[in-house]
Amino acid sequence: MLERIIFTSTGGGDFSFFFLRARSIKDHRYKLGKTLENGSFILNNDEFSGEKDCLCTCYEEYELVEYLKEYLNLYDFEVIMSENINVKNKIFIKDSDIIVYGKIK
C-alpha cells in the first residue's frame, strides 16, 4: 500500500480503535506502472505526484473492508471516500482515497 496510516489505541475494553487511509482504484496512480503479482504496481510512469518508483496498491471499497473484517476483525466502522484534485506544475492530479475507522479485536 503506497500510503498507509494505521492508528490504534486501547478503547478501555477488549478492542482497539482503528484508522486506515488507502488508495482507491479511482486514483490517478491506479495501474500507472509495472504490475506485480499481487495486483500492486511500481509507479515507474508517474512523473507528476512525486511518487515515482514507489510501491502502490489500490483497492475497491468493498475489497478493503472485507480484508479488514477478515484479518483484523474490523467492526462498528465507518467508510469515507475522499476525492480531491491537486495541481502540480499546471497538471491536475486526481487523488482518491478510502478512509476506514472503527474498532478491531
Side-chain angles (χ1 to χ4, degrees):
M1 188 177 312
L2 176 62
E3 180 177 44
R4 181 184 310 180
I5 303 168
I6 298 177
F7 169 76
T8 61
S9 76
T10 306
D14 62 343
F15 68 91
S16 294
F17 291 106
F18 177 84
F19 174 85
L20 174 80
R21 183 176 187 138
R23 298 265 187 244
S24 160
I25 63 169
K26 296 176 187 174
D27 192 274
H28 88 278
R29 296 163 189 84
Y30 183 57
K31 293 191 176 183
L32 197 61
K34 179 183 174 190
T35 303
L36 304 176
E37 287 183 25
N38 68 353
S40 299
F41 41 94
I42 303 296
L43 293 173
N44 56 347
N45 296 323
D46 185 2
E47 302 293 333
F48 305 108
S49 70
E51 298 172 3
K52 185 173 171 130
D53 296 326
C54 288
L55 174 67
C56 185
T57 304
C58 296
Y59 298 92
E60 292 188 54
E61 180 182 337
Y62 76 90
E63 173 188 32
L64 181 59
V65 168
E66 288 304 312
Y67 284 146
L68 296 172
K69 286 166 64 176
E70 181 178 348
Y71 295 107
L72 297 179
N73 297 312
L74 177 70
Y75 70 102
D76 195 15
F77 61 92
E78 296 289 332
V79 178
I80 299 170
M81 297 300 299
S82 173
E83 296 191 5
N84 304 294
I85 301 293
N86 293 325
V87 180
K88 188 169 185 177
N89 298 327
K90 298 183 181 180
I91 303 291
F92 291 91
I93 300 169
K94 181 178 182 179
D95 288 327
S96 182
D97 298 324
I98 304 167
I99 300 167
V100 181
Y101 63 94
K103 297 175 184 174
I104 58 175
K105 291 185 179 184

